[in-house]
Amino acid sequence: MNRPITIVGAGLGGLALARMLHVNGIDAVVYERDSSRDARGQGGMLDLHSGTGQRALREAGLIEQFHAVARRAGQDMRLLQPDGTLLLQEDTPDDAPLERPEVDRADLRELLLDSLPGHTVRWGCAVESADDGRLYFADGSSAPYDLLVGADGANSRVRAQLTDARPTHIGQNVVELVIPDIDRTHPDLAAMVGRGNYWVLGDGQSLAAQRNGDGCVRVGLSFYNTAEDWFATSGIPFGDPAAARARLIDLFAGWDPRFTALIAACDDTILPRSITTLPVGLTWPSTPGVTLLGDAAHLMPPVGQGANMALLDGALLGLALAACPDDIPAAVEEYEREMFERTSAAGRQSAHIKELLASPNAARHILAFFQPG
């Protein structure tokens, strides 16, 4: 390679790749549109699976640092029906293995950034397009590349080099809310949610509350079988947080008052999200000079697979490049072959879970899925 390997996007997958290249003595540069590592929030918690996300961190020599920030108690789970019926409660013993511990996405990103030389990430570089060995940035500048890796998420600008596929709406719309400092402000609700994940699944709607390492609880309200423009007709006045909370409580009329109390306790952070995915099993002909990883390659429903797959993509692509430095196209083709098979299986499972969540009597379907027999 005459130039460093070029990565677009300083998300988890792109940084995992940069770390793998660094430990194997291969130069890389990461272009990121954010102006700095602290330019915006990174979202909530992730559960890193032992065979995928944690495997990537082991390959990258970062597993001990991960254990230092991971939360074993985040594996706790409570599953309920809208009338308050408790279907499942799993409390994690203090000596339980870290099979799927939770970690703040921001902490994990910081861990990866701190593992790289300071010059690796070029902040404030918004990529507009790529063509014939050259990247074009929003400020009018450009840069050449030999190998370009699109790690730039759902709305990837690099993806167009390989496929015409675009994310499409899957009939799910989500409202994200936050209860800050819940142990102090709402100790009764804190005890109800517990230390990990709290799911209430109804017919066509769900409420998920998740304990975060900073003391807040993030609440996600999902509305299934809804159109892409549903927010425009939902009557939720996002510009007026108090009225928006009141409308959301109305949308959960008939649910146990303990659950709507979670909505009432949230602050003024109220964010709408329309959920999109790429086609399950998306592939492309291997093309010298460019490839994809993470959501840019296989955007899935948000049921716990995306970050794990992105981290493992980055680690395995880095290993393939390190093992075959004199034949980069062969290394990329090997990576893509494995990635297509692995992420297609994960995508099918994620789509199935999403269908269960959207089905009538979703709570019992999910219980049967996770505890068959």
Side-chain angles (χ1 to χ4, degrees):
M1 300 291 290
N2 296 320
R3 302 182 180 90
I5 289 174
T6 300
I7 303 165
V8 178
L12 300 180
L15 294 175
L17 171 58
R19 167 65 182 181
M20 288 300 304
L21 295 174
H22 172 62
V23 298
N24 283 283
I26 301 173
D27 290 336
V29 59
V30 181
Y31 292 108
E32 168 56 48
R33 67 173 52 244
D34 286 349
S35 59
S36 71
R37 64 163 67 189
D38 301 317
R40 60 186 173 91
Q42 294 300 309
M45 304 292 290
L46 302 169
D47 62 320
L48 286 201
H49 306 173
S50 59
T52 51
Q54 290 186 60
R55 177 188 170 192
L57 295 176
R58 285 193 296 272
E59 298 284 3
L62 297 172
I63 196 65
E64 294 302 322
Q65 293 92 322
F66 167 71
H67 287 162
V69 298
R71 295 178 54 247
R72 177 181 279 104
Q75 298 174 112
D76 288 7
M77 197 199 0
R78 299 175 186 182
L79 175 64
L80 303 97
Q81 292 179 303
D83 64 1
T85 301
L86 178 66
L87 296 180
L88 175 68
Q89 180 167 336
E90 293 182 340
D91 296 322
T92 308
D94 291 340
D95 60 351
L98 290 169
E99 288 295 325
R100 293 189 174 194
E102 297 283 345
V103 62
D104 281 69
R105 182 185 286 268
D107 288 345
L108 182 56
R109 188 171 186 248
E110 288 294 301
L111 185 161
L112 288 163
L113 283 168
D114 289 344
S115 75
L116 296 171
H119 62 270
T120 303
V121 180
R122 312 282 177 84
W123 301 101
C125 296
V127 171
E128 287 293 305
S129 63
D131 183 47
D132 196 25
R134 200 160 195 90
L135 276 180
Y136 297 91
F137 300 97
D139 64 2
S141 64
S142 65
Y145 64 83
D146 290 329
L147 175 60
L148 174 65
V149 182
D152 49 342
N155 298 311
S156 171
R157 298 301 180 93
V158 178
R159 189 190 299 123
Q161 299 296 300
L162 296 170
T163 173
D164 293 332
R166 297 290 184 271
T168 57
H169 191 256
I170 61 170
Q172 179 182 357
N173 291 285
V174 177
V175 179
E176 296 180 349
L177 309 99
V178 177
I179 307 174
D181 197 10
I182 191 171
D183 290 308
R184 182 183 63 83
T185 59
H186 298 279
D188 54 335
L189 296 179
M192 181 180 78
V193 170
R195 305 181 302 173
N197 291 281
Y198 190 84
W199 274 13
V200 189
L201 305 181
D203 291 345
Q205 294 177 202
S206 69
L207 180 153
Q210 184 184 56
R211 175 79 66 153
N212 280 225
D214 63 359
C216 82
V217 161
R218 291 182 178 269
V219 177
L221 308 177
S222 289
F223 301 89
Y224 301 99
N225 306 312
T226 51
E228 188 170 6
D229 64 353
W230 180 79
F231 286 122
T233 61
S234 66
I236 305 171
F238 289 101
D240 183 342
R245 286 191 294 271
R247 173 58 180 158
L248 289 166
I249 289 170
D250 287 344
L251 291 172
F252 285 82
W255 285 43
D256 188 295
R258 294 175 298 165
F259 306 146
T260 51
L262 284 167
I263 302 172
C266 291
D267 67 9
D268 290 349
T269 303
I270 304 177
L271 303 175
R273 286 184 58 209
S274 292
I275 305 302
T276 61
T277 65
L278 287 167
V280 174
L282 176 66
T283 65
W284 52 83
S286 194
T287 302
V290 61
T291 191
L292 305 172
L293 61 77
D295 285 350
H298 44 70
L299 180 65
M300 303 175 192
V303 295
Q305 291 278 17
N308 285 281
M309 290 296 112
L311 285 164
L312 192 53
D313 288 351
L316 295 184
L317 177 54
L319 286 172
L321 291 168
C324 199
D326 297 324
D327 193 345
I328 299 302
V332 169
E333 187 172 3
E334 176 188 341
Y335 153 74
E336 290 176 339
R337 186 183 307 111
E338 187 279 338
M339 183 268 289
F340 291 151
E341 181 177 356
R342 168 173 48 85
T343 61
S344 292
R348 288 192 296 271
Q349 183 185 67
S350 296
H352 179 56
I353 293 173
K354 183 267 173 183
E355 291 304 315
L356 294 179
L357 291 168
S359 67
N361 208 9
R364 293 196 179 276
H365 287 312
I366 288 293
L367 180 64
F369 178 82
F370 285 110
Q371 293 192 326

